[in-house]
Amino acid sequence: MASDPRRDRLQAATAALALAVAGVGLGASLDAPRLLVAWALAAGLAAAFGWAALARLARLAGRTTTPLPPEPLPRPPPELDIALEHAPLALWRLSPGRPPLALNAAARRLGAPGRAAEPEALQALLNQAAPGRQVVSLPTEHGEERAVLAVSALTVQGEAWRLAAVAPIESELATEALTAWRQLVQVLTHEIMNSLTPIASLAASAPALLEAGEHEELQAALAALARRASHLQAFVARYRSVSQPPPPQLADTPLLPLLQGVQDLLTTAWAQAGGGVDLRVEPPSLALRTDAAQLEQVLINLAQNALQACAGQPAPRLSVEARLSRGGRLRLTVADNGPGVPPGLETQIFTPFFSTREGGSGVGLAVVRQLVHGLGGTVRHARRPGGGACFVLTF
């Protein structure tokens, strides 16, 4: 028979009242043994009756009790929703088996028919994107446009999310490329004209010197022509080394022995200048899939630049450090205690043939960037709080 909680509660209350009456009767019957026994039996029956009712109530409470629902998380303020809606980045939520969900106006505009040439291709690109950052090509009505796609995993109110952010960068890249080409053309024309102007002048004066029989002057003019032609030939060879780097031969390479070999090559020159080369690899077992010869050439170029920049320093020091950075990426740092890169020139030092040193070729850092990019890494200049130049290579 099903248990009735109201009846069980009544039985428990009646048993409690009976126990109370039996307790009074027991106290009044201490001098009458028969009554004492009767009251004791009545108290036992009342206790058993009450215990059974309480047990049924306990079982019923165990079946019907449900946990309290968790308190809802506070909703974000409306200002945050407005900021998300008008954020300059296009944001999507990615869910397996579902099309990407646009989270703001920028995402809806980017996926609209008037903006995306193939909305399905854009959705497929987002769904297939791996966590991290990458440069992708978006099919738009204006042609292919490059953009930075970043995907991250997060938990929102206990639910796993994948968030994708897209920032178109085609205009910025085109502007940077145009600026780089303009700088390169300026340097090329300056260098070529420095050689062609005297060559043209000497070539024009040579016939007159020959007719006049001034053989010594003619020989001097021809020697000057040969020197300028040789200089121009060397310049073209340097340009070829920048524009046509050899393809890398990749292999798993332990870094500690490679960097120790570079340190051995550099120690003598730095010791003659009154300084030294410090090396630090943490952990010592670090390895990188790279072209050992090209990476060694990169480090030597950076070290040579640093030694020339530190000329006149009483105790020049070069520091080479390899360690893992956040995200498991390898970070190689080459730093010196020289005067550093002049302020405002940080974006120009990697331009081919641009040099801040009198008589410098301006090829070293351009070759460094070409080789590092060919090895799948990036190189940038970082300003140190204590001064000096610092170049950071990330792979």
PDB file of all heavy atoms in Angstrom, residues 1-5 7-8 11 49 52 56-57 59-60 63:
ATOM      1  N   MET A   1       0.844  -1.195   0.000  1.00  0.00           N
ATOM      2  CA  MET A   1       0.000   0.000   0.000  1.00  0.00           C
ATOM      3  C   MET A   1       0.877   1.242   0.000  1.00  0.00           C
ATOM      4  O   MET A   1       1.874   1.298   0.722  1.00  0.00           O
ATOM      5  CB  MET A   1      -0.906  -0.013   1.240  1.00  0.00           C
ATOM      6  CG  MET A   1      -1.912   1.139   1.255  1.00  0.00           C
ATOM      7  SD  MET A   1      -3.026   1.024   2.670  1.00  0.00           S
ATOM      8  CE  MET A   1      -1.892   1.309   4.011  1.00  0.00           C
ATOM      9  N   ALA A   2       0.469   2.215  -0.788  1.00  0.00           N
ATOM     10  CA  ALA A   2       1.267   3.426  -0.886  1.00  0.00           C
ATOM     11  C   ALA A   2       1.224   4.195   0.415  1.00  0.00           C
ATOM     12  O   ALA A   2       0.221   4.209   1.134  1.00  0.00           O
ATOM     13  CB  ALA A   2       0.750   4.295  -2.046  1.00  0.00           C
ATOM     14  N   SER A   3       2.320   4.810   0.711  1.00  0.00           N
ATOM     15  CA  SER A   3       2.434   5.560   1.961  1.00  0.00           C
ATOM     16  C   SER A   3       1.835   6.944   1.765  1.00  0.00           C
ATOM     17  O   SER A   3       2.048   7.605   0.750  1.00  0.00           O
ATOM     18  CB  SER A   3       3.905   5.670   2.366  1.00  0.00           C
ATOM     19  OG  SER A   3       4.037   6.464   3.515  1.00  0.00           O
ATOM     20  N   ASP A   4       1.027   7.356   2.807  1.00  0.00           N
ATOM     21  CA  ASP A   4       0.410   8.677   2.807  1.00  0.00           C
ATOM     22  C   ASP A   4       1.193   9.545   3.782  1.00  0.00           C
ATOM     23  O   ASP A   4       1.188   9.273   5.006  1.00  0.00           O
ATOM     24  CB  ASP A   4      -1.060   8.574   3.210  1.00  0.00           C
ATOM     25  CG  ASP A   4      -1.785   9.918   3.106  1.00  0.00           C
ATOM     26  OD1 ASP A   4      -1.110  10.932   2.862  1.00  0.00           O
ATOM     27  OD2 ASP A   4      -3.011   9.926   3.289  1.00  0.00           O
ATOM     28  N   PRO A   5       1.861  10.579   3.338  1.00  0.00           N
ATOM     29  CA  PRO A   5       2.678  11.360   4.259  1.00  0.00           C
ATOM     30  C   PRO A   5       1.868  12.025   5.359  1.00  0.00           C
ATOM     31  O   PRO A   5       2.334  12.139   6.503  1.00  0.00           O
ATOM     32  CB  PRO A   5       3.357  12.387   3.342  1.00  0.00           C
ATOM     33  CG  PRO A   5       2.561  12.391   2.083  1.00  0.00           C
ATOM     34  CD  PRO A   5       1.975  11.035   1.958  1.00  0.00           C
ATOM     35  N   ARG A   7      -0.900  10.857   6.789  1.00  0.00           N
ATOM     36  CA  ARG A   7      -1.232   9.830   7.771  1.00  0.00           C
ATOM     37  C   ARG A   7      -0.012   9.459   8.601  1.00  0.00           C
ATOM     38  O   ARG A   7      -0.093   9.283   9.822  1.00  0.00           O
ATOM     39  CB  ARG A   7      -1.776   8.587   7.049  1.00  0.00           C
ATOM     40  CG  ARG A   7      -2.272   7.478   8.004  1.00  0.00           C
ATOM     41  CD  ARG A   7      -2.588   6.234   7.216  1.00  0.00           C
ATOM     42  NE  ARG A   7      -1.382   5.745   6.549  1.00  0.00           N
ATOM     43  CZ  ARG A   7      -1.391   4.826   5.580  1.00  0.00           C
ATOM     44  NH1 ARG A   7      -2.536   4.352   5.127  1.00  0.00           N
ATOM     45  NH2 ARG A   7      -0.260   4.413   5.034  1.00  0.00           N
ATOM     46  N   ASP A   8       1.158   9.345   7.932  1.00  0.00           N
ATOM     47  CA  ASP A   8       2.375   8.990   8.676  1.00  0.00           C
ATOM     48  C   ASP A   8       2.736  10.078   9.683  1.00  0.00           C
ATOM     49  O   ASP A   8       3.182   9.782  10.802  1.00  0.00           O
ATOM     50  CB  ASP A   8       3.527   8.772   7.696  1.00  0.00           C
ATOM     51  CG  ASP A   8       3.318   7.494   6.866  1.00  0.00           C
ATOM     52  OD1 ASP A   8       2.605   6.604   7.342  1.00  0.00           O
ATOM     53  OD2 ASP A   8       3.884   7.434   5.744  1.00  0.00           O
ATOM     54  N   GLN A  11       0.405   9.651  12.603  1.00  0.00           N
ATOM     55  CA  GLN A  11       0.798   8.509  13.440  1.00  0.00           C
ATOM     56  C   GLN A  11       2.031   8.840  14.267  1.00  0.00           C
ATOM     57  O   GLN A  11       2.115   8.459  15.447  1.00  0.00           O
ATOM     58  CB  GLN A  11       1.073   7.291  12.543  1.00  0.00           C
ATOM     59  CG  GLN A  11      -0.184   6.698  11.921  1.00  0.00           C
ATOM     60  CD  GLN A  11       0.120   5.515  11.016  1.00  0.00           C
ATOM     61  OE1 GLN A  11       1.289   5.180  10.799  1.00  0.00           O
ATOM     62  NE2 GLN A  11      -0.932   4.890  10.475  1.00  0.00           N
ATOM     63  N   PHE A  49       5.414   2.068  17.093  1.00  0.00           N
ATOM     64  CA  PHE A  49       4.457   2.671  16.179  1.00  0.00           C
ATOM     65  C   PHE A  49       5.006   3.981  15.601  1.00  0.00           C
ATOM     66  O   PHE A  49       4.963   4.230  14.395  1.00  0.00           O
ATOM     67  CB  PHE A  49       3.153   2.916  16.963  1.00  0.00           C
ATOM     68  CG  PHE A  49       2.019   3.359  16.098  1.00  0.00           C
ATOM     69  CD1 PHE A  49       1.387   2.495  15.208  1.00  0.00           C
ATOM     70  CD2 PHE A  49       1.538   4.664  16.195  1.00  0.00           C
ATOM     71  CE1 PHE A  49       0.333   2.923  14.441  1.00  0.00           C
ATOM     72  CE2 PHE A  49       0.490   5.101  15.414  1.00  0.00           C
ATOM     73  CZ  PHE A  49      -0.123   4.228  14.538  1.00  0.00           C
ATOM     74  N   ALA A  52       8.060   3.344  13.090  1.00  0.00           N
ATOM     75  CA  ALA A  52       7.644   2.903  11.763  1.00  0.00           C
ATOM     76  C   ALA A  52       7.140   4.096  10.937  1.00  0.00           C
ATOM     77  O   ALA A  52       7.431   4.214   9.738  1.00  0.00           O
ATOM     78  CB  ALA A  52       6.558   1.838  11.888  1.00  0.00           C
ATOM     79  N   ARG A  56       8.855   5.580   7.384  1.00  0.00           N
ATOM     80  CA  ARG A  56       8.168   5.782   6.116  1.00  0.00           C
ATOM     81  C   ARG A  56       8.325   7.228   5.627  1.00  0.00           C
ATOM     82  O   ARG A  56       8.504   7.484   4.430  1.00  0.00           O
ATOM     83  CB  ARG A  56       6.684   5.410   6.272  1.00  0.00           C
ATOM     84  CG  ARG A  56       6.431   3.916   6.408  1.00  0.00           C
ATOM     85  CD  ARG A  56       4.965   3.603   6.217  1.00  0.00           C
ATOM     86  NE  ARG A  56       4.153   4.226   7.255  1.00  0.00           N
ATOM     87  CZ  ARG A  56       3.863   3.666   8.438  1.00  0.00           C
ATOM     88  NH1 ARG A  56       4.360   2.448   8.724  1.00  0.00           N
ATOM     89  NH2 ARG A  56       3.105   4.280   9.306  1.00  0.00           N
ATOM     90  N   LEU A  57       8.261   8.170   6.524  1.00  0.00           N
ATOM     91  CA  LEU A  57       8.451   9.569   6.144  1.00  0.00           C
ATOM     92  C   LEU A  57       9.866   9.830   5.611  1.00  0.00           C
ATOM     93  O   LEU A  57      10.054  10.585   4.653  1.00  0.00           O
ATOM     94  CB  LEU A  57       8.174  10.479   7.346  1.00  0.00           C
ATOM     95  CG  LEU A  57       6.701  10.655   7.731  1.00  0.00           C
ATOM     96  CD1 LEU A  57       6.586  11.425   9.044  1.00  0.00           C
ATOM     97  CD2 LEU A  57       5.949  11.407   6.632  1.00  0.00           C
ATOM     98  N   ARG A  59      11.834   7.598   4.106  1.00  0.00           N
ATOM     99  CA  ARG A  59      11.968   7.025   2.758  1.00  0.00           C
ATOM    100  C   ARG A  59      11.269   7.901   1.729  1.00  0.00           C
ATOM    101  O   ARG A  59      11.764   8.128   0.624  1.00  0.00           O
ATOM    102  CB  ARG A  59      11.383   5.610   2.727  1.00  0.00           C
ATOM    103  CG  ARG A  59      12.230   4.575   3.450  1.00  0.00           C
ATOM    104  CD  ARG A  59      11.792   3.157   3.070  1.00  0.00           C
ATOM    105  NE  ARG A  59      10.403   2.914   3.460  1.00  0.00           N
ATOM    106  CZ  ARG A  59      10.029   2.435   4.651  1.00  0.00           C
ATOM    107  NH1 ARG A  59      10.950   2.173   5.572  1.00  0.00           N
ATOM    108  NH2 ARG A  59       8.757   2.215   4.928  1.00  0.00           N
ATOM    109  N   LEU A  60      10.123   8.414   2.089  1.00  0.00           N
ATOM    110  CA  LEU A  60       9.398   9.279   1.171  1.00  0.00           C
ATOM    111  C   LEU A  60      10.175  10.567   0.886  1.00  0.00           C
ATOM    112  O   LEU A  60      10.244  11.044  -0.262  1.00  0.00           O
ATOM    113  CB  LEU A  60       8.027   9.614   1.746  1.00  0.00           C
ATOM    114  CG  LEU A  60       7.096  10.459   0.866  1.00  0.00           C
ATOM    115  CD1 LEU A  60       6.784   9.712  -0.430  1.00  0.00           C
ATOM    116  CD2 LEU A  60       5.818  10.816   1.613  1.00  0.00           C
ATOM    117  N   ARG A  63      12.928   9.940  -1.637  1.00  0.00           N
ATOM    118  CA  ARG A  63      12.510   9.785  -3.026  1.00  0.00           C
ATOM    119  C   ARG A  63      12.096  11.098  -3.664  1.00  0.00           C
ATOM    120  O   ARG A  63      12.258  11.317  -4.849  1.00  0.00           O
ATOM    121  CB  ARG A  63      11.331   8.795  -3.111  1.00  0.00           C
ATOM    122  CG  ARG A  63      11.694   7.359  -2.817  1.00  0.00           C
ATOM    123  CD  ARG A  63      10.589   6.442  -3.294  1.00  0.00           C
ATOM    124  NE  ARG A  63       9.305   6.760  -2.666  1.00  0.00           N
ATOM    125  CZ  ARG A  63       8.862   6.212  -1.540  1.00  0.00           C
ATOM    126  NH1 ARG A  63       9.617   5.332  -0.898  1.00  0.00           N
ATOM    127  NH2 ARG A  63       7.669   6.538  -1.063  1.00  0.00           N
TER     128      ARG A  63
END
